[in-house]
């Protein structure tokens, strides 16, 4: 048993739902108790879909337990086929049905449904949502792909986009345009938008673009082995990765056309003097492995940030994430426990977090700005506007996303220069966050970012240590803008501890500043 | 004087009920934790379940999950199922760690789920054992919020029912008010009754464990929520007597509810009128504003919370709506009866659900407003129907006089919105 409040990933059958809901003409019959239908709202509310997910639940109740549940399952199957007339169905069990040991696959096979039935084995007590999606997509491809000739023109499949995927909708559009520049047509996008008939046509493509390893890798590997289709290894997030991806596609296809970069703005935006203040901003990244790996490179090489730490919640990508961490000279954090992530962030005190919905809340609590770069995300990160993260427009989007939460350079100077000015006092906060100027809440150091919590005269004892802040040092600390004060406090205390000092004076503060200057 | 107008056509109490079985699109009882933990300030709800249960809680709790919630899930892992680890040892360890980290916790609920029920982890025994270990500081109880046994608000019912056997005994003639209400509503309720001279009142659930609730043979109790069937039965087993009444929704419902309680305690009409006149007038005025948009409109309820029958009664009688179908997950005659009596005859009353068949009916009826869960709301909107999602009715303060206008407003807002939007969705 493991006590959990927040989970980064749902159970594996939710991953299967993400594949089923992404597709058309496919129905999922899920053996599950009443109550598990809650998962529908992820699609209808968070992703704002305008139809019910194509999922029939058996919704068995306690009184059905026993032989009845098998009959219930068969009835649900038959009803789903009669009512929705799918080209194929997938059948499986949720965590509770896994325990009652009906055999959905066996039951469905005895029914002579006249359409392909794909059985799913999703171990609910050891695996999670991403595995569920990957495995489901793989089983569907295995079950439906049919041998055929390659298309006359050079085409590829886009593999991995699903329902409830982070920016999947727009990534598909962006890549389709990019590939068209390169002279490559898209044969099938799957699972997003594909029908079972489309899945059958996958082998007509010359190669596969593996968009999201988390949800498409098993299928890509199988297609490579079975139909000799190579798949791309670079995920085109960021300018450099997009260019590597283009080179990869050119190597696979032998085509030499290049992509249109006329609307790529990140390199100049990042080079312009307005961005100088971004240099060396310390960022912490957390999310799914793919987005973290890609965005870490961007953060360092294209934004000029310093990567202070990174990690992922999906163990499947641990190896890739560790490699990137090594390259960045930091330790990878592989965990699905958000309390551990919070601890790591607290310890590193970065100037910005790039993470998921959870890190956004951690950031809010610690007073650290955060940009969302990975699922799980809430409703606001399924935007109405076009917002890919892949390709060249994706790079533009990410530049804006990463800069927005930071205090603008000019504003940073003004805040420092006029820190005693009534309109620029700490509590006013950055102007574009004006709606929720910080009230008296704790900053990362446990102090007050309103600057009003500690009486000026009394020396204060730093939390969790025995070091005493003398009042002149305390006063000086408060003159430091609130968004860097947490770090200053932490560094000074660490410095004092290292020197074996009991008190922090004004001198200690400045000695520490000099010590940590970079 | 009770001025409830006679129900045209004689009410719905004896109307034939459509009972269907099939796929149910409902939450399980675990969801009750989301509002119960706000109400019971020293309680922690520990679900013993799977990743699905944890995922359900976070999906239903939305952003609230980050406010240091006092609930969590002990997720069963493969070894727990294979019996390699003793589930009870595991549970004891997790509970000890939890109570160590949160010394403010005084009541711990072990909440059963489908997986824990199916593999038959004996949480009742665990609760007894843990109570002994952690007494007297912490009391440990257990109930099931599993989807195989409970639907949505029945989770609160199961929780409250689990507390009844351990309530201390009282010989006093007291009023026990049952059902978790937002604090502001609870205070209004207590003030109204207090003004009538009824003040030997206890609450279930109380805000904290120290505010002990007691029960005995001279206790009379009234329900403020219609989904408390098990709790009702458990209280009867302790010798308490139920005051049947319509639920306190709307001006009329609140008055009828208060009147039933007042009659039990011999409050005279003059006092009753003096206390209720002003808030009644306020409520009527507030309802009238929202009812403008509801008058003459038809409404269809999918089953969700058991609030459907009293709400249909309020909307038809006080807001001028016509009910097409009133679906409820369960119907208890002793509890829903008084509201069914007042609900004008006409609507199809249905219990249970086969969601696809019910969707066929709603499409055929094309009501002006459909009350349904979050999994159905957007799909139905996309089909051109106007919907009100039901879960909000459980989270929002809607009971008693001062909330009557807000309650009507929850239903009129979607209709008003439809009339103000001037842009068509693209295909
Ligand atoms: S229906 Fe059962 S398995 Fe599903 S979330 Fe509820 S208690 Fe858990
Ligand atoms: S914002 Fe999130 S929690 Fe709130 S209703 Fe929408 S989907 Fe649900």
């Amino acid at each position: 048993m493991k006590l959990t409040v927040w989970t980064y990933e749902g159970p594996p059958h939710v991953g299967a739902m993400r594949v089923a809901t992404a597709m058309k003409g496919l129905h999922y019959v899920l053996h599950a108790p009443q109550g598990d239908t809650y998962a529908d709202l992820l699609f209808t509310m968070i992703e704002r879909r305008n139809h019910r997910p194509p999922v029939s639940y058996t919704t068995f109740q306690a009184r059905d337990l026993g032989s009845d549940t098998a009959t219930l399952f068969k009835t649900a199957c038959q009803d789903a086929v009669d009512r929705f007339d799918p080209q194929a169905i997938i059948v499986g069990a949720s965590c509770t049905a896994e325990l009652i040991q009906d055999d959905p696959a066996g039951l469905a096979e005895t029914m002579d449904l006249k359409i392909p039935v794909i059985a799913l084995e999703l171990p609910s007590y050891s695996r999670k949502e991403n595995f569920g999606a990957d495995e489901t997509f793989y089983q569907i491809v295995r079950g439906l792909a049919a041998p055929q000739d390659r298309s006359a023109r050079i085409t590829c499949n886009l593999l991995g986009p699903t329902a409830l995927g982070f920016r999947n909708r727009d990534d598909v559009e962006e890549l389709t345009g990019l590939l068209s520049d390169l002279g490559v047509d898209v044969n099938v996008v799957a699972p997003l938008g594909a029908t079972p008939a489309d899945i059958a046509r996958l082998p007509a493509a010359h190669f596969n673009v593996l968009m999201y390893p988390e949800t498409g890798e098993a299928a890509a590997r199988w297609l490579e082995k079975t139909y000799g289709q190579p798949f791309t290894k670079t995920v085109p997030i960021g300018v450099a990765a997009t260019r590597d991806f283009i080179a990869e596609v050119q190597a696979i296809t032998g085509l030499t056309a290049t992509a249109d970069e006329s609307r790529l703005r990140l390199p100049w935006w990042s080079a312009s003097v307005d961005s100088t203040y971004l240099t060396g901003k310390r960022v912490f990244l957390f999310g799914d492995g793919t987005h973290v790996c890609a965005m870490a490179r961007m953060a360092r090489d294209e934004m000029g940030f310093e990567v202070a730490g990174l990690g992922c919640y999906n163990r499947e990508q641990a190896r890739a994430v560790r490699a990137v961490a090594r390259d960045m000279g930091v330790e990878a954090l592989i965990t699905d426990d958000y309390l551990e992530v919070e601890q790591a962030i607290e310890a590193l005190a970065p100037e910005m977090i790039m993470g998921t919905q959870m890190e956004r809340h951690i950031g809010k609590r610690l007073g650290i700005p955060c940009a969302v770069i990975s699922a799980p995300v809430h409703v606001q990160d399924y935007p109405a506007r076009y917002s890919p993260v892949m390709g060249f427009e994706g790079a533009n989007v990410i530049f804006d996303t990463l800069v927005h939460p930071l205090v603008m350079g000019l504003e940073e100077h003004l805040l420092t220069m006029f820190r005693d000015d009534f309109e620029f006092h700490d509590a006013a906060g950055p102007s574009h966050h004006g709606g929720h100027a910080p009230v008296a809440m704790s900053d990362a150091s446990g102090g007050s970012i309103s600057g009003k919590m500690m009486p000026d005269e009394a020396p204060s004892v730093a939390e969790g240590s025995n070091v005493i802040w003398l009042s002149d040092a305390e006063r000086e600390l408060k003159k430091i803008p609130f968004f860097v004060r947490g770090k200053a406090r932490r560094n000074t205390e660490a410095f004092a501890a290292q020197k074996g000092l009991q008190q922090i004076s004004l001198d200690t503060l400045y000695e520490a500043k000099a010590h940590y200057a970079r | 004087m009770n001025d409830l107008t006679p129900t045209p056509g004689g009410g719905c109490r004896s109307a034939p009920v459509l009972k269907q079985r099939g796929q149910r699109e409902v939450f399980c009882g675990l969801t009750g934790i989301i509002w119960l933990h706000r109400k019971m300030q020293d309680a922690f709800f520990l679900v013993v379940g799977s990743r699905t249960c944890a995922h359900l809680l976070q999906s239903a709790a939305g952003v609230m999950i980050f406010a240091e919630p006092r609930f969590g899930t002990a997720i069963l892992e493969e070894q727990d199922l294979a019996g390699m680890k003793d589930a009870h040892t595991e549970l004891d360890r997790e509970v000890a760690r939890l109570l160590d980290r949160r010394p403010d916790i005084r009541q711990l609920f072990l909440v059963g789920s489908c997986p824990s029920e199916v593999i038959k982890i004996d949480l009742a025994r665990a609760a007894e054992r843990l109570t002994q270990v952690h007494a007297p500081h912490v009391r440990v109880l257990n109930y099931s919020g599993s989807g195989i046994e409970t639907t949505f608000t029945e989770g609160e019912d199961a929780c409250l029912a689990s507390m009844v056997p351990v309530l201390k005994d009282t010989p006093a003639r007291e009023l026990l008010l049952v059902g978790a209400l937002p604090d502001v509503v609870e205070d209004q309720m207590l003030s109204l009754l207090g003004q009538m001279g009824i003040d030997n009142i206890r609450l279930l659930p109380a805000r904290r464990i120290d505010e002990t609730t007691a029960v005995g043979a001279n206790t009379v109790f009234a329900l403020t929520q219609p989904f408390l069937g098990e709790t009702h039965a458990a209280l009867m087993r302790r010798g308490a007597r139920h005051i049947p009444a319509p639920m306190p929704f709307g001006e009329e419902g609140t008055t009828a509810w208060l009147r039933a309680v007042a009659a039990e305690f011999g409050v005279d009409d003059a006092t009753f009128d003096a206390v209720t006149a002003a808030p009644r007038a306020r409520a009527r005025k507030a309802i009238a504003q929202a009812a403008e948009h509801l008058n003459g409109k038809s409404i269809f309820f999918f089953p969700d919370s058991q609030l459907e029958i009293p709400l249909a009664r309020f909307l038809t009688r006080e807001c001028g709506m016509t009910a097409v179908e009133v679906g409820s997950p369960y119907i208890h005659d002793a509890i829903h009866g008084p509201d069914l009596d007042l609900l004008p005859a006409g609507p199809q009353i249905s219990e249970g659900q086969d969601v696809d068949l019910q969707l066929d009916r709603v499409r055929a009826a094309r009501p002006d407003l459909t009350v349904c869960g979050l999994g159905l709301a957007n799909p139905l909107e996309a089909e051109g129907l106007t919907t009100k999602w039901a879960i909000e009715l459980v989270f929002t303060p809607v009971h008693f006089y001062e909330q009557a206008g807000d309650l009507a407003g929850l239903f009129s807002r979607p209709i008003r919105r439809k009339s103000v939007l001037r842009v068509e969705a693209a295909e």
Side-chain angles (χ1 to χ4, degrees):
Chain A
M1 272 180 215
K2 189 169 185 300
L3 182 62
T4 314
V5 174
W6 176 266
T7 63
Y8 282 93
E9 291 181 71
H13 73 260
V14 168
M17 286 184 71
R18 286 175 52 188
V19 171
T21 306
M23 290 181 62
K24 298 191 168 85
L26 180 89
H27 203 86
Y28 184 15
V29 182
L30 178 60
H31 206 15
Q34 71 155 350
D36 280 3
T37 55
Y38 80 85
D40 283 0
L41 74 86
L42 304 171
F43 301 93
T44 60
M45 296 297 288
I46 296 180
E47 207 180 13
R48 256 187 270 245
R49 287 194 173 250
N50 62 1
H51 58 88
R52 296 172 67 208
V55 183
S56 293
Y57 304 79
T58 54
T59 61
F60 56 85
Q61 292 172 267
R63 59 171 183 240
D64 304 318
L65 292 181
S67 62
D68 241 23
T69 51
T71 321
L72 254 175
F73 178 82
K74 285 171 133 184
T75 314
C77 256
Q78 193 61 56
D79 285 355
V81 171
D82 293 347
R83 179 174 280 269
F84 301 105
D85 191 24
Q87 296 171 22
I89 60 169
I90 55 180
V91 299
S94 83
C95 56
T96 307
E98 191 180 328
L99 299 174
I100 61 177
Q101 296 181 334
D102 292 333
D103 169 20
L107 290 169
E109 263 159 36
T110 63
M111 290 180 61
D112 188 26
L113 289 168
K114 309 255 189 316
I115 51 171
V117 175
I118 296 151
L120 302 175
E121 289 287 343
L122 301 175
S124 312
Y125 296 90
S126 54
R127 306 308 296 263
K128 297 181 218 156
E129 180 177 329
N130 278 327
F131 170 83
D134 192 50
E135 173 70 13
T136 302
F137 182 47
Y138 161 64
Q139 292 299 346
I140 291 174
V141 171
R142 234 180 73 131
L144 300 177
Q148 58 204 283
D149 292 340
R150 296 277 195 256
S151 58
R153 279 182 53 86
I154 294 186
T155 61
C156 70
N157 302 309
L158 301 186
L159 301 184
T162 63
L164 270 185
F166 177 68
R167 306 294 167 83
N168 288 11
R169 174 197 71 194
D170 297 339
D171 283 351
V172 165
E173 188 171 334
E174 187 64 21
L175 280 199
T176 304
L178 180 70
L179 288 159
S180 152
D181 282 359
L182 303 178
V184 178
D185 284 350
V186 171
N187 178 48
V188 173
V189 179
L192 191 65
T195 62
D198 293 331
I199 301 290
R201 293 193 295 110
L202 284 173
H206 293 233
F207 69 103
N208 288 314
V209 170
L210 175 56
M211 292 180 67
Y212 309 101
E214 272 86 357
T215 49
E217 186 156 352
R221 288 192 183 286
W222 183 83
L223 285 166
E224 181 177 54
K225 201 174 78 210
T226 314
Y227 291 102
Q229 290 172 324
F231 65 89
T232 55
K233 309 291 188 300
T234 316
V235 176
I237 295 176
V239 179
T242 302
R243 289 180 181 146
D244 289 352
F245 171 82
I246 291 168
E248 212 185 333
V249 171
Q250 287 169 335
I252 291 172
T253 58
L255 295 169
T256 52
T258 55
D260 173 17
E261 291 198 8
S262 63
R263 276 166 303 161
L264 170 62
R265 283 176 280 267
L266 179 142
W268 166 240
W269 249 241
S270 208
S272 78
V273 293
D274 192 58
S275 300
T276 313
Y277 78 107
L278 299 175
T279 315
K281 286 265 183 217
R282 298 172 67 253
V283 296
F284 178 85
L285 295 98
F286 198 81
D288 66 44
T290 296
H291 285 93
V292 163
C293 288
M295 301 264 188
R297 294 228 160 86
M298 274 193 90
R300 185 186 64 182
D301 301 343
E302 297 174 23
M303 302 298 293
F305 294 155
E306 178 191 331
V307 173
L310 59 82
C312 74
Y313 56 78
N314 50 338
R315 275 171 207 285
E316 292 89 345
Q317 299 293 323
R319 186 195 296 245
V321 169
R322 287 210 177 91
V324 171
R326 244 190 328 275
D327 179 36
M328 305 260 160
V330 296
E331 191 85 42
L333 175 68
I334 313 294
T335 180
D336 61 357
D337 182 344
Y338 78 104
L339 291 173
E340 268 181 54
V341 179
E342 186 172 67
Q343 259 170 23
I345 292 174
E346 233 166 333
L348 289 168
E351 287 158 276
M352 180 160 75
I353 307 166
M354 298 165 64
T356 73
Q357 182 67 14
M358 270 78 93
E359 283 69 45
R360 167 143 68 200
H361 284 269
I362 292 171
K364 221 185 256 172
R365 240 168 61 78
L366 300 177
I368 303 172
C370 178
V372 170
I373 57 153
S374 159
V377 291
H378 204 37
V379 61
Q380 65 270 47
D381 278 298
Y382 293 94
R385 66 179 185 278
Y386 183 58
S387 345
V389 294
M390 289 187 176
F392 295 136
E393 184 56 22
N396 294 336
V397 167
I398 297 168
F399 181 89
D400 288 346
T401 308
L402 295 184
V403 166
H404 180 86
L406 291 168
V407 181
M408 286 179 290
L410 189 59
E411 198 167 20
E412 187 171 316
H413 294 307
L414 290 176
L415 277 167
T416 315
M417 276 158 59
F418 300 111
R419 60 199 168 202
D420 294 324
D421 185 297
F422 74 103
E423 278 174 326
F424 283 98
H425 68 98
D426 292 351
S431 61
H432 54 294
H433 293 176
H436 32 88
V439 261
M441 63 189 236
S442 287
D443 69 4
S445 66
S448 158
I449 59 176
S450 74
K452 285 193 193 116
M453 209 156 82
M454 310 239 187
D456 265 352
E457 294 71 28
S460 60
V461 180
E463 217 179 291
S465 77
N466 302 317
V467 191
I468 292 173
W469 281 83
L470 296 176
S471 56
D472 58 342
E474 183 79 27
R475 248 196 314 275
E476 194 68 12
L477 182 69
K478 273 182 204 141
K479 293 181 193 162
I480 298 173
F482 67 87
F483 43 85
V484 287
R485 192 183 308 146
K487 192 172 62 169
R489 178 188 282 273
R490 195 177 299 274
N491 284 350
T492 310
E493 284 167 8
F495 179 79
Q498 197 184 314
K499 291 268 174 279
L501 299 173
Q502 305 299 313
Q503 299 181 334
I504 293 172
S505 66
L506 197 53
D507 281 343
T508 324
L509 180 72
Y510 282 114
E511 274 164 30
K513 185 171 187 296
H515 176 82
Y516 287 104
R518 54 166 195 257
Chain B
M1 194 45 237
N2 195 336
D3 64 350
L4 293 178
T5 40
T7 319
C12 289
R13 195 161 187 164
S14 53
V17 175
L18 176 68
K19 294 190 186 190
Q20 279 178 332
R21 292 205 51 198
Q23 179 179 324
R24 292 176 148 230
E25 180 83 23
V26 286
F27 281 130
C28 62
L30 293 187
T31 356
I33 292 170
I34 291 158
W35 64 88
L36 282 171
H37 92 282
R38 300 313 314 159
K39 184 71 206 174
M40 297 156 79
Q41 295 162 10
D42 52 6
F44 192 100
F45 294 81
L46 180 60
V47 176
V48 180
S50 62
R51 177 168 298 281
T52 310
C53 308
H55 195 237
L56 161 102
L57 280 176
Q58 92 183 29
S59 309
V63 265
M64 209 199 285
I65 197 120
F66 296 98
E68 276 268 354
R70 279 174 285 101
F71 59 78
T73 309
I75 295 188
L76 296 166
E77 293 167 326
E78 245 171 355
Q79 308 97 297
D80 299 309
L81 304 178
M84 272 148 47
K85 290 193 202 161
D86 180 13
H88 287 275
T89 321
E90 288 277 300
L91 187 60
D92 291 1
R93 191 201 55 216
E94 286 301 327
V95 166
R97 271 179 46 190
L98 170 69
L99 293 177
D100 198 45
R101 225 178 43 214
R102 301 289 305 264
D104 51 320
I105 300 306
R106 302 287 316 281
Q107 337 184 39
L108 176 67
F109 288 95
L110 302 178
V111 187
S113 65
C114 305
S116 76
E117 298 292 328
V118 167
I119 61 173
K120 300 199 166 45
I121 299 183
D122 190 346
L123 292 181
R125 198 158 59 91
E128 270 170 39
R129 188 181 61 241
L130 286 164
T131 295
Q132 276 163 18
V133 176
H134 299 283
H137 186 67
V138 185
R139 178 177 78 188
V140 186
L141 293 175
N142 101 285
Y143 71 90
S144 171
S146 76
I148 56 177
E149 291 156 306
T150 58
T151 302
F152 194 26
T153 47
E154 276 187 294
E156 175 176 334
D157 187 27
C159 173
L160 300 191
S162 79
M163 299 168 77
V164 173
V166 299
L167 293 181
K168 101 184 165 201
D169 201 63
T170 173
R173 176 167 157 76
E174 288 175 337
L175 174 61
L176 178 62
L177 297 175
V178 190
L181 294 177
D183 290 353
V184 49
V185 177
E186 200 170 86
D187 292 341
Q188 290 167 14
M189 170 179 78
L190 294 175
S191 147
L192 285 164
L193 292 169
Q195 289 171 56
M196 292 181 205
I198 308 171
D199 37 25
N200 40 349
I201 297 176
R202 309 241 191 199
L203 298 171
L204 180 66
R207 291 179 204 184
R208 315 192 70 86
I209 192 171
D210 300 325
E211 298 154 17
T212 38
T213 306
V215 68
N218 292 315
T219 301
V220 286
F221 70 93
L223 304 179
T224 59
Q225 298 281 20
F227 43 73
L228 298 172
E230 284 300 314
T231 312
H232 174 270
L235 288 167
M236 306 274 270
R237 282 197 291 276
R238 296 274 318 248
R241 185 162 49 79
H242 178 218
I243 307 173
M247 291 298 145
F249 295 125
E251 182 270 313
E252 199 185 53
T254 305
T255 304
W257 186 90
L258 286 170
R259 193 175 292 280
V261 175
E264 171 68 33
F265 285 86
V267 177
D268 60 72
D269 284 356
T271 309
F272 186 86
D273 291 341
V275 172
T276 56
R280 287 180 74 174
R282 272 201 301 274
R284 272 199 294 264
K285 195 166 151 221
I287 294 169
Q289 278 164 10
E292 226 177 276
H293 304 273
L294 297 176
N295 220 322
K297 300 277 191 334
S298 59
I299 188 161
F300 190 112
F301 284 89
F302 278 72
D304 212 61
S305 61
Q306 298 184 46
L307 292 168
E308 299 82 5
I309 289 169
L311 289 176
R313 184 264 299 153
F314 163 66
L315 291 166
T316 49
R317 292 177 61 109
E318 297 184 56
C319 301
M321 301 190 83
T322 314
V324 180
E325 174 165 338
V326 183
S328 178
Y330 294 103
I331 300 176
H332 287 268
D333 189 63
I335 299 173
H336 298 111
D339 280 305
L340 280 169
D341 277 338
L342 295 174
L343 181 62
Q348 174 70 65
I349 309 290
S350 62
E351 185 179 13
Q353 182 177 42
D354 181 325
V355 72
D356 284 311
L357 298 180
Q358 199 164 28
L359 284 166
D360 289 344
R361 294 201 295 279
V362 83
R363 286 177 186 127
R366 294 204 69 82
D368 296 309
L369 189 63
T370 302
V371 184
C372 61
L374 292 172
L376 299 178
N378 269 335
L380 288 176
E381 289 281 349
E383 292 182 27
L385 293 173
T386 303
T387 61
K388 165 77 217 105
W389 42 283
I391 185 169
E392 196 178 7
L393 300 163
V394 184
F395 288 154
T396 316
V398 292
H399 292 69
F400 291 94
Y401 292 129
E402 311 306 339
Q403 285 66 239
D406 302 342
L407 177 57
L410 286 179
F411 292 91
S412 66
R413 195 169 306 127
I415 293 177
R416 268 173 39 223
R417 180 160 189 81
K418 187 126 295 177
S419 70
V420 298
L421 291 184
R422 296 266 186 273
V423 49
E424 292 294 319
E427 265 319 296

